[in-house]
PDB file of all heavy atoms in Angstrom:
ATOM      1  N   ALA T 201     215.529  22.484  23.808  1.00 97.00           N
ATOM      2  CA  ALA T 201     216.751  23.268  24.027  1.00 97.00           C
ATOM      3  C   ALA T 201     217.658  23.258  22.808  1.00 97.00           C
ATOM      4  O   ALA T 201     218.282  24.280  22.472  1.00 97.00           O
ATOM      5  CB  ALA T 201     217.490  22.739  25.257  1.00 97.00           C
ATOM      6  N   ASP T 202     217.786  22.109  22.125  1.00 97.00           N
ATOM      7  CA  ASP T 202     218.676  22.056  20.967  1.00 97.00           C
ATOM      8  C   ASP T 202     218.151  22.920  19.823  1.00 97.00           C
ATOM      9  O   ASP T 202     218.927  23.549  19.092  1.00 97.00           O
ATOM     10  CB  ASP T 202     218.901  20.610  20.507  1.00 97.00           C
ATOM     11  CG  ASP T 202     217.636  19.948  19.977  1.00 97.00           C
ATOM     12  OD1 ASP T 202     216.534  20.261  20.476  1.00 97.00           O
ATOM     13  OD2 ASP T 202     217.757  19.102  19.068  1.00 97.00           O
ATOM     14  N   LYS T 203     216.818  22.977  19.677  1.00 98.00           N
ATOM     15  CA  LYS T 203     216.237  23.818  18.628  1.00 98.00           C
ATOM     16  C   LYS T 203     216.388  25.304  18.973  1.00 98.00           C
ATOM     17  O   LYS T 203     216.650  26.131  18.097  1.00 98.00           O
ATOM     18  CB  LYS T 203     214.768  23.459  18.417  1.00 98.00           C
ATOM     19  CG  LYS T 203     214.560  22.066  17.798  1.00 98.00           C
ATOM     20  CD  LYS T 203     213.079  21.798  17.568  1.00 98.00           C
ATOM     21  CE  LYS T 203     212.860  20.505  16.792  1.00 98.00           C
ATOM     22  NZ  LYS T 203     213.289  19.324  17.539  1.00 98.00           N
ATOM     23  N   ALA T 204     216.238  25.649  20.252  1.00 98.00           N
ATOM     24  CA  ALA T 204     216.442  27.035  20.670  1.00 98.00           C
ATOM     25  C   ALA T 204     217.880  27.466  20.423  1.00 98.00           C
ATOM     26  O   ALA T 204     218.151  28.586  19.965  1.00 98.00           O
ATOM     27  CB  ALA T 204     216.083  27.198  22.141  1.00 98.00           C
ATOM     28  N   ALA T 205     218.819  26.572  20.713  1.00 97.00           N
ATOM     29  CA  ALA T 205     220.236  26.888  20.489  1.00 97.00           C
ATOM     30  C   ALA T 205     220.525  27.088  19.008  1.00 97.00           C
ATOM     31  O   ALA T 205     221.325  27.962  18.629  1.00 97.00           O
ATOM     32  CB  ALA T 205     221.113  25.775  21.060  1.00 97.00           C
ATOM     33  N   TRP T 206     219.875  26.314  18.147  1.00 98.00           N
ATOM     34  CA  TRP T 206     220.085  26.459  16.704  1.00 98.00           C
ATOM     35  C   TRP T 206     219.437  27.736  16.189  1.00 98.00           C
ATOM     36  O   TRP T 206     220.004  28.447  15.340  1.00 98.00           O
ATOM     37  CB  TRP T 206     219.509  25.248  15.972  1.00 98.00           C
ATOM     38  CG  TRP T 206     219.808  25.248  14.506  1.00 98.00           C
ATOM     39  CD1 TRP T 206     220.908  24.742  13.889  1.00 98.00           C
ATOM     40  CD2 TRP T 206     218.989  25.815  13.468  1.00 98.00           C
ATOM     41  NE1 TRP T 206     220.830  24.946  12.529  1.00 98.00           N
ATOM     42  CE2 TRP T 206     219.663  25.608  12.241  1.00 98.00           C
ATOM     43  CE3 TRP T 206     217.754  26.461  13.462  1.00 98.00           C
ATOM     44  CZ2 TRP T 206     219.141  26.026  11.026  1.00 98.00           C
ATOM     45  CZ3 TRP T 206     217.235  26.891  12.249  1.00 98.00           C
ATOM     46  CH2 TRP T 206     217.923  26.661  11.046  1.00 98.00           C
ATOM     47  N   LEU T 207     218.255  28.062  16.692  1.00 98.00           N
ATOM     48  CA  LEU T 207     217.538  29.246  16.222  1.00 98.00           C
ATOM     49  C   LEU T 207     218.199  30.546  16.662  1.00 98.00           C
ATOM     50  O   LEU T 207     218.141  31.549  15.929  1.00 98.00           O
ATOM     51  CB  LEU T 207     216.095  29.230  16.741  1.00 98.00           C
ATOM     52  CG  LEU T 207     215.093  28.341  16.016  1.00 98.00           C
ATOM     53  CD1 LEU T 207     213.794  28.273  16.805  1.00 98.00           C
ATOM     54  CD2 LEU T 207     214.832  28.856  14.606  1.00 98.00           C
ATOM     55  N   ALA T 208     218.808  30.550  17.841  1.00 98.00           N
ATOM     56  CA  ALA T 208     219.287  31.804  18.436  1.00 98.00           C
ATOM     57  C   ALA T 208     220.164  32.627  17.490  1.00 98.00           C
ATOM     58  O   ALA T 208     219.922  33.834  17.322  1.00 98.00           O
ATOM     59  CB  ALA T 208     220.007  31.518  19.744  1.00 98.00           C
ATOM     60  N   PRO T 209     221.203  32.064  16.848  1.00 97.00           N
ATOM     61  CA  PRO T 209     222.034  32.894  15.966  1.00 97.00           C
ATOM     62  C   PRO T 209     221.385  33.220  14.629  1.00 97.00           C
ATOM     63  O   PRO T 209     221.934  34.012  13.859  1.00 97.00           O
ATOM     64  CB  PRO T 209     223.284  32.027  15.763  1.00 97.00           C
ATOM     65  CG  PRO T 209     222.816  30.640  15.945  1.00 97.00           C
ATOM     66  CD  PRO T 209     221.739  30.702  16.995  1.00 97.00           C
ATOM     67  N   ARG T 210     220.233  32.626  14.347  1.00 97.00           N
ATOM     68  CA  ARG T 210     219.509  32.927  13.109  1.00 97.00           C
ATOM     69  C   ARG T 210     218.346  33.882  13.360  1.00 97.00           C
ATOM     70  O   ARG T 210     217.795  34.437  12.420  1.00 97.00           O
ATOM     71  CB  ARG T 210     219.012  31.618  12.477  1.00 97.00           C
ATOM     72  CG  ARG T 210     220.172  30.746  12.004  1.00 97.00           C
ATOM     73  CD  ARG T 210     219.821  29.292  11.852  1.00 97.00           C
ATOM     74  NE  ARG T 210     220.973  28.548  11.364  1.00 97.00           N
ATOM     75  CZ  ARG T 210     221.957  28.089  12.156  1.00 97.00           C
ATOM     76  NH1 ARG T 210     221.909  28.296  13.464  1.00 97.00           N
ATOM     77  NH2 ARG T 210     222.986  27.441  11.637  1.00 97.00           N
ATOM     78  N   TRP T 211     218.010  34.058  14.612  1.00 97.00           N
ATOM     79  CA  TRP T 211     216.941  34.944  15.034  1.00 97.00           C
ATOM     80  C   TRP T 211     217.503  36.276  15.531  1.00 97.00           C
ATOM     81  O   TRP T 211     216.749  37.207  15.804  1.00 97.00           O
ATOM     82  CB  TRP T 211     216.152  34.244  16.148  1.00 97.00           C
ATOM     83  CG  TRP T 211     214.799  34.781  16.468  1.00 97.00           C
ATOM     84  CD1 TRP T 211     213.715  34.863  15.636  1.00 97.00           C
ATOM     85  CD2 TRP T 211     214.367  35.283  17.738  1.00 97.00           C
ATOM     86  NE1 TRP T 211     212.629  35.379  16.308  1.00 97.00           N
ATOM     87  CE2 TRP T 211     213.009  35.650  17.617  1.00 97.00           C
ATOM     88  CE3 TRP T 211     214.989  35.451  18.970  1.00 97.00           C
ATOM     89  CZ2 TRP T 211     212.272  36.174  18.667  1.00 97.00           C
ATOM     90  CZ3 TRP T 211     214.253  35.969  20.021  1.00 97.00           C
ATOM     91  CH2 TRP T 211     212.915  36.329  19.863  1.00 97.00           C
ATOM     92  N   SER T 212     218.838  36.357  15.628  1.00 97.00           N
ATOM     93  CA  SER T 212     219.489  37.552  16.162  1.00 97.00           C
ATOM     94  C   SER T 212     220.850  37.712  15.504  1.00 97.00           C
ATOM     95  O   SER T 212     221.333  36.822  14.804  1.00 97.00           O
ATOM     96  CB  SER T 212     219.659  37.428  17.683  1.00 97.00           C
ATOM     97  OG  SER T 212     220.528  36.353  18.006  1.00 97.00           O
ATOM     98  N   ARG T 213     221.477  38.876  15.731  1.00 96.00           N
ATOM     99  CA  ARG T 213     222.857  39.084  15.274  1.00 96.00           C
ATOM    100  C   ARG T 213     223.571  39.971  16.285  1.00 96.00           C
ATOM    101  O   ARG T 213     222.946  40.743  17.017  1.00 96.00           O
ATOM    102  CB  ARG T 213     222.893  39.722  13.886  1.00 96.00           C
ATOM    103  CG  ARG T 213     222.325  41.115  13.802  1.00 96.00           C
ATOM    104  CD  ARG T 213     222.392  41.644  12.382  1.00 96.00           C
ATOM    105  NE  ARG T 213     221.447  42.730  12.156  1.00 96.00           N
ATOM    106  CZ  ARG T 213     220.964  43.051  10.970  1.00 96.00           C
ATOM    107  NH1 ARG T 213     221.326  42.380   9.901  1.00 96.00           N
ATOM    108  NH2 ARG T 213     220.104  44.050  10.828  1.00 96.00           N
ATOM    109  N   GLN T 214     224.900  39.872  16.276  1.00 97.00           N
ATOM    110  CA  GLN T 214     225.698  40.608  17.252  1.00 97.00           C
ATOM    111  C   GLN T 214     225.961  42.029  16.763  1.00 97.00           C
ATOM    112  O   GLN T 214     226.382  42.247  15.625  1.00 97.00           O
ATOM    113  CB  GLN T 214     227.022  39.894  17.507  1.00 97.00           C
ATOM    114  CG  GLN T 214     227.762  40.374  18.732  1.00 97.00           C
ATOM    115  CD  GLN T 214     228.923  39.473  19.078  1.00 97.00           C
ATOM    116  OE1 GLN T 214     229.503  38.808  18.225  1.00 97.00           O
ATOM    117  NE2 GLN T 214     229.283  39.439  20.369  1.00 97.00           N
ATOM    118  N   ALA T 215     225.686  42.992  17.612  1.00 95.00           N
ATOM    119  CA  ALA T 215     225.902  44.403  17.295  1.00 95.00           C
ATOM    120  C   ALA T 215     227.338  44.805  17.616  1.00 95.00           C
ATOM    121  O   ALA T 215     228.118  44.043  18.191  1.00 95.00           O
ATOM    122  CB  ALA T 215     224.931  45.265  18.091  1.00 95.00           C
ATOM    123  N   ALA T 216     227.675  46.025  17.226  1.00 96.00           N
ATOM    124  CA  ALA T 216     229.038  46.518  17.440  1.00 96.00           C
ATOM    125  C   ALA T 216     229.416  46.545  18.913  1.00 96.00           C
ATOM    126  O   ALA T 216     230.604  46.405  19.261  1.00 96.00           O
ATOM    127  CB  ALA T 216     229.181  47.916  16.836  1.00 96.00           C
ATOM    128  N   ASN T 217     228.429  46.695  19.791  1.00 96.00           N
ATOM    129  CA  ASN T 217     228.720  46.734  21.225  1.00 96.00           C
ATOM    130  C   ASN T 217     228.839  45.346  21.852  1.00 96.00           C
ATOM    131  O   ASN T 217     228.991  45.211  23.072  1.00 96.00           O
ATOM    132  CB  ASN T 217     227.654  47.542  21.965  1.00 96.00           C
ATOM    133  CG  ASN T 217     226.268  46.911  21.880  1.00 96.00           C
ATOM    134  OD1 ASN T 217     226.079  45.854  21.272  1.00 96.00           O
ATOM    135  ND2 ASN T 217     225.277  47.562  22.484  1.00 96.00           N
ATOM    136  N   GLY T 218     228.738  44.302  21.010  1.00 96.00           N
ATOM    137  CA  GLY T 218     228.892  42.938  21.491  1.00 96.00           C
ATOM    138  C   GLY T 218     227.601  42.267  21.918  1.00 96.00           C
ATOM    139  O   GLY T 218     227.588  41.050  22.139  1.00 96.00           O
ATOM    140  N   ARG T 219     226.514  43.019  22.055  1.00 97.00           N
ATOM    141  CA  ARG T 219     225.249  42.430  22.467  1.00 97.00           C
ATOM    142  C   ARG T 219     224.471  41.927  21.247  1.00 97.00           C
ATOM    143  O   ARG T 219     224.741  42.334  20.110  1.00 97.00           O
ATOM    144  CB  ARG T 219     224.424  43.456  23.264  1.00 97.00           C
ATOM    145  CG  ARG T 219     225.098  43.824  24.593  1.00 97.00           C
ATOM    146  CD  ARG T 219     224.246  44.761  25.411  1.00 97.00           C
ATOM    147  NE  ARG T 219     222.985  44.176  25.857  1.00 97.00           N
ATOM    148  CZ  ARG T 219     222.852  43.393  26.924  1.00 97.00           C
ATOM    149  NH1 ARG T 219     223.916  43.072  27.666  1.00 97.00           N
ATOM    150  NH2 ARG T 219     221.662  42.917  27.273  1.00 97.00           N
ATOM    151  N   TRP T 220     223.529  41.040  21.501  1.00 98.00           N
ATOM    152  CA  TRP T 220     222.794  40.389  20.423  1.00 98.00           C
ATOM    153  C   TRP T 220     221.421  41.022  20.263  1.00 98.00           C
ATOM    154  O   TRP T 220     220.674  41.158  21.230  1.00 98.00           O
ATOM    155  CB  TRP T 220     222.685  38.891  20.696  1.00 98.00           C
ATOM    156  CG  TRP T 220     224.016  38.213  20.526  1.00 98.00           C
ATOM    157  CD1 TRP T 220     225.048  38.195  21.423  1.00 98.00           C
ATOM    158  CD2 TRP T 220     224.473  37.521  19.372  1.00 98.00           C
ATOM    159  NE1 TRP T 220     226.113  37.527  20.904  1.00 98.00           N
ATOM    160  CE2 TRP T 220     225.796  37.089  19.648  1.00 98.00           C
ATOM    161  CE3 TRP T 220     223.906  37.207  18.140  1.00 98.00           C
ATOM    162  CZ2 TRP T 220     226.553  36.366  18.730  1.00 98.00           C
ATOM    163  CZ3 TRP T 220     224.652  36.487  17.220  1.00 98.00           C
ATOM    164  CH2 TRP T 220     225.953  36.083  17.519  1.00 98.00           C
ATOM    165  N   GLN T 221     221.104  41.405  19.019  1.00 97.00           N
ATOM    166  CA  GLN T 221     219.855  42.090  18.706  1.00 97.00           C
ATOM    167  C   GLN T 221     218.949  41.188  17.872  1.00 97.00           C
ATOM    168  O   GLN T 221     219.410  40.522  16.943  1.00 97.00           O
ATOM    169  CB  GLN T 221     220.138  43.376  17.921  1.00 97.00           C
ATOM    170  CG  GLN T 221     220.966  44.392  18.683  1.00 97.00           C
ATOM    171  CD  GLN T 221     221.280  45.622  17.851  1.00 97.00           C
ATOM    172  OE1 GLN T 221     221.344  45.551  16.624  1.00 97.00           O
ATOM    173  NE2 GLN T 221     221.484  46.747  18.519  1.00 97.00           N
ATOM    174  N   ILE T 222     217.656  41.197  18.194  1.00 97.00           N
ATOM    175  CA  ILE T 222     216.679  40.423  17.442  1.00 97.00           C
ATOM    176  C   ILE T 222     216.590  40.970  16.016  1.00 97.00           C
ATOM    177  O   ILE T 222     216.587  42.179  15.794  1.00 97.00           O
ATOM    178  CB  ILE T 222     215.298  40.489  18.131  1.00 97.00           C
ATOM    179  CG1 ILE T 222     215.404  39.998  19.574  1.00 97.00           C
ATOM    180  CG2 ILE T 222     214.275  39.676  17.351  1.00 97.00           C
ATOM    181  CD1 ILE T 222     216.001  38.632  19.721  1.00 97.00           C
ATOM    182  N   LEU T 223     216.485  40.057  15.039  1.00 96.00           N
ATOM    183  CA  LEU T 223     216.426  40.453  13.636  1.00 96.00           C
ATOM    184  C   LEU T 223     214.987  40.829  13.250  1.00 96.00           C
ATOM    185  O   LEU T 223     214.327  40.175  12.444  1.00 96.00           O
ATOM    186  CB  LEU T 223     216.946  39.323  12.747  1.00 96.00           C
ATOM    187  CG  LEU T 223     218.463  39.100  12.815  1.00 96.00           C
ATOM    188  CD1 LEU T 223     218.850  37.812  12.101  1.00 96.00           C
ATOM    189  CD2 LEU T 223     219.208  40.283  12.222  1.00 96.00           C
ATOM    190  N   GLY T 224     214.517  41.890  13.885  1.00 95.00           N
ATOM    191  CA  GLY T 224     213.197  42.422  13.581  1.00 95.00           C
ATOM    192  C   GLY T 224     213.214  43.926  13.785  1.00 95.00           C
ATOM    193  O   GLY T 224     213.738  44.418  14.778  1.00 95.00           O
ATOM    194  N   ASP T 225     212.675  44.653  12.823  1.00 94.00           N
ATOM    195  CA  ASP T 225     212.620  46.105  12.934  1.00 94.00           C
ATOM    196  C   ASP T 225     211.635  46.486  14.043  1.00 94.00           C
ATOM    197  O   ASP T 225     210.470  46.076  14.002  1.00 94.00           O
ATOM    198  CB  ASP T 225     212.164  46.690  11.596  1.00 94.00           C
ATOM    199  CG  ASP T 225     212.222  48.214  11.554  1.00 94.00           C
ATOM    200  OD1 ASP T 225     212.307  48.840  12.629  1.00 94.00           O
ATOM    201  OD2 ASP T 225     212.163  48.763  10.440  1.00 94.00           O
ATOM    202  N   PRO T 226     212.052  47.277  15.043  1.00 94.00           N
ATOM    203  CA  PRO T 226     211.118  47.666  16.112  1.00 94.00           C
ATOM    204  C   PRO T 226     209.881  48.399  15.611  1.00 94.00           C
ATOM    205  O   PRO T 226     208.860  48.423  16.305  1.00 94.00           O
ATOM    206  CB  PRO T 226     211.969  48.585  17.004  1.00 94.00           C
ATOM    207  CG  PRO T 226     213.379  48.228  16.712  1.00 94.00           C
ATOM    208  CD  PRO T 226     213.405  47.801  15.271  1.00 94.00           C
TER     209      PRO T 226
END
Side-chain angles (χ1 to χ4, degrees):
D202 66 327
K203 291 182 173 65
W206 186 88
L207 281 170
R210 294 159 178 83
W211 197 61
S212 64
R213 65 181 159 204
Q214 194 169 27
N217 64 0
R219 294 184 65 82
W220 289 79
Q221 298 177 333
I222 303 305
L223 288 170
D225 186 343

